Amino acid sequence: MRVFSGVQPTGNIHLGNYLGALKQFVELQDDNECIYCIVDLHAITIPKDPIQLHEHVLDVAALYMAIGIDPKKSTIFVQSDVPGHSELAWILTCSSYMGELSRMTQFKDKSKGQESAPTGIFSYPLLMAADILLYDAEVVPVGNDQKQHIEITRDLAIRVNNRFGDDTFVVPDGRFIKAGARVMSLDDPTSKMSKSAESEMSRISLLDDAAKIKKAIMRATTDSDGIIKYDPVNKPGISNLLSIYAAMSGESIESLEARYAGEGYGTLKKDLVEVVKEGLAPIQSRYAEIRQSQELIDVLKVGAEKANAIAEVTIKRVKEKYGLGIGI
Ligand code: AQP
């Protein structure tokens, strides 16, 4: 299977990104042809400091490798190094409707309260659809928050295929995992953990030190009944901690509920601190080795060459279908 996914270089990758998406990236690379992108064009939908953006691109690339994405097995590259993403996004824009884009919940959330929302936030799903369709990807491992964007990608592919033939685009499927598919904010478990949330205590980044991990988990919002039970509707805080615990340790939520029955939240939180620290320690030490290395730049250059080679074939095919260019 051809697998494609990406992460925005908008800050340090957190447990939500890791458990919802990145862990799957690693699992999939042994039996599939995997293409993993750092989606910097998506990051500029909200203005970014250029020097910081560049650093974040390298941070994410180094984290990809630190969590176990092996450049010998998977292609790792930066989105803006492959012009086909922008080209296909425009072509898809011309096959899309304002109505379907206006219905995207992420657009509604991100534009809330703004008199005039940036166009990039509105057309973001078209660039994401282009990212996926450019590589004829069959499988897209993502967190639950991207379900709607996968749906619109499928709709666009089917619409264009109905017009020009089924050999135009591969219609992709999303791949969502159970535990960790939607990690919630630690200080407000009714909203998702996010890189751009103001409060540092809302998330654990993969590079956080032991003291920050402890502080964020011990302060995590829970309820007052003291019962350790997975019930995301009525007990979102403790349910979030249980699902992080399960995803990081591999132990099932049911087994955790049984093991901690009758214990206080403090005991569960203390143990979770250790589980998270142990899980992140090897990632952090590998990251420190890779981040300043020449190997990182070499991997991204080779990755861009490989990605461009695939993208150019798709762009040529799609342009022919639409009657664009003179076929050079
Ligand atoms: N809280 C989450 N739980 C599970 N999965 C999540 N993902 C993001 N947040 C959670 C998944 O991580 C992958 C990469 O996400 P992204 O960086 O491309 O964009 P995002 O979804 O917008 O992530 P953030 O952290 O919320 O970034 P900001 O704050 O910059 O918008 C995706 O597969 C996503 O599903």
Side-chain angles (χ1 to χ4, degrees), residues 6-8 10 14 16-17 20-21 106 110 124 141-146 180-183 192-196:
V7 172
Q8 291 188 69
T10 45
H14 52 71
N17 301 133
Q106 207 170 83
K110 294 206 169 177
Y124 180 109
V142 278
N144 265 352
D145 60 325
Q146 296 297 330
R182 192 173 175 83
V183 177
K192 75 161 191 156
M193 187 177 282
S194 158
K195 295 189 216 91
S196 51

Side-chain angles (χ1 to χ4, degrees), residues 83-300:
H85 290 258
S86 307
E87 201 172 354
L88 187 56
W90 174 253
I91 293 173
L92 293 174
T93 302
C94 298
S95 292
S96 67
Y97 295 96
M98 305 276 282
E100 60 191 348
L101 294 175
S102 311
R103 284 194 290 275
M104 295 292 109
T105 47
Q106 207 170 83
F107 166 68
K108 287 186 200 160
D109 288 349
K110 294 206 169 177
S111 61
K112 209 183 280 170
Q114 298 192 45
E115 205 176 295
S116 180
T119 313
I121 291 181
F122 183 67
S123 57
Y124 180 109
L126 298 168
L127 180 58
M128 179 163 159
D131 300 339
I132 298 165
L133 300 179
L134 193 56
Y135 297 97
D136 295 334
E138 294 154 284
V139 179
V140 187
V142 278
N144 265 352
D145 60 325
Q146 296 297 330
K147 261 192 178 153
Q148 229 187 357
H149 291 161
I150 300 291
E151 266 322 299
I152 199 171
T153 301
R154 290 173 53 85
D155 290 348
L156 283 160
I158 292 166
R159 186 177 305 151
V160 174
N161 284 356
N162 283 341
R163 186 170 168 209
F164 294 119
D166 284 348
D167 57 343
T168 313
F169 288 129
V170 170
V171 181
D173 281 310
R175 185 179 193 266
F176 312 95
I177 41 142
K178 271 192 193 151
R182 192 173 175 83
V183 177
M184 307 308 280
S185 155
L186 292 174
D187 59 3
D188 171 14
T190 57
S191 55
K192 75 161 191 156
M193 187 177 282
S194 158
K195 295 189 216 91
S196 51
E198 236 167 73
S199 161
E200 274 295 322
M201 289 302 136
S202 68
R203 63 184 160 260
I204 291 171
S205 296
L206 299 195
L207 300 179
D208 278 346
D209 62 23
K212 160 70 199 304
I213 294 170
K214 184 172 176 193
K215 199 167 170 189
I217 292 177
M218 295 312 287
R219 277 188 182 192
T221 303
T222 47
D223 50 64
S224 54
D225 72 15
I227 300 166
I228 295 180
K229 182 168 176 284
Y230 185 76
D231 177 357
V233 175
N234 300 308
K235 296 169 69 65
I238 203 70
S239 302
N240 190 35
L241 296 182
L242 279 168
S243 72
I244 294 173
Y245 200 139
M248 287 298 289
S249 67
E251 188 171 345
S252 71
I253 288 179
E254 297 75 35
S255 158
L256 289 168
E257 281 175 333
R259 196 151 66 77
Y260 284 97
E263 300 275 4
Y265 292 162
T267 311
L268 177 92
K269 284 181 170 180
K270 260 193 228 152
D271 290 354
L272 179 58
V273 170
E274 294 312 312
V275 166
V276 172
K277 277 188 343 199
E278 272 169 34
L280 297 188
I283 295 176
Q284 296 182 350
S285 62
R286 256 190 65 68
Y287 174 85
E289 278 169 33
I290 297 162
R291 177 61 176 83
Q292 301 306 330
S293 69
Q294 180 58 35
E295 185 197 355
L296 180 65
I297 307 300
D298 294 344
V299 162
L300 293 175

